[in-house]
């Protein structure tokens, strides 16, 4: 299997593409490879509004991922990401390679997701939880919450 890279202005598509923060881009419902129709965009926009309170226009629901170089003018949801900037400044593949991991920045990022997850188990259908919550949770959290 090929490695993820953005050194030659190309991001290799993998079965499991990780963002700078460690989230699963390839499992994210807004990731460009997962958006196949206007219906997909509507579903993501509605779910993220319901779950996270985000009001992202349907036409903005597509993301090339943070590994794609800025020089290619990628689509990214949420604009500039502090974690991406930090990872790039340290010249490391993702936060897990950092000597300061876990830092306040990543802890805040993970806490926001893990805060909504327990309530979503009761309010979302299982397929919605799998599609809109699980891609952003670490394995350890999923194991703890299933016990």
């Amino acid at each position: 299997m090929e490695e993820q890279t953005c050194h030659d202005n190309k991001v290799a598509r993998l079965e499991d593409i990780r963002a700078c923060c460690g989230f699963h881009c390839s499992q994210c419902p807004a990731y460009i490879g997962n958006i196949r129709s206007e219906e997909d965009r509507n579903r993501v926009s509605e779910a993220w509004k319901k779950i996270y309170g985000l009001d992202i226009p349907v036409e903005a629901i597509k993301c090339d991922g943070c590994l794609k170089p800025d020089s290619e003018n990628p689509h990214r949801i949420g604009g500039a990401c502090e974690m991406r900037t930090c990872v790039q400044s340290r010249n490391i593949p993702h936060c897990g390679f950092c000597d300061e991991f876990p830092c306040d920045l990543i802890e805040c990022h993970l806490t926001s997701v893990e805060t909504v997850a327990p309530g979503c188990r009761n309010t979302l259908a299982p397929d919605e939880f799998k599609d809109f919550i699980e891609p952003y949770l670490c394995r350890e959290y999923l194991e703890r919450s299933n016990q």
Side-chain angles (χ1 to χ4, degrees), residues 39-87:
E39 184 180 323
D40 290 344
R41 283 187 173 81
N42 282 321
R43 184 173 181 251
V44 174
S45 180
E46 289 171 16
W48 283 359
K49 185 168 190 154
K50 177 176 153 183
I51 297 165
Y52 302 109
L54 299 173
D55 194 13
I56 301 172
V58 172
E59 61 276 4
I61 301 289
K62 65 178 175 181
C63 184
D64 289 314
C66 66
L67 299 179
K68 192 148 192 163
D70 292 336
S71 61
E72 293 184 23
N73 298 315
H75 295 276
R76 293 193 187 110
I77 294 177
C81 172
E82 290 180 78
M83 285 173 288
R84 179 178 187 269
T85 301
C86 181
V87 162

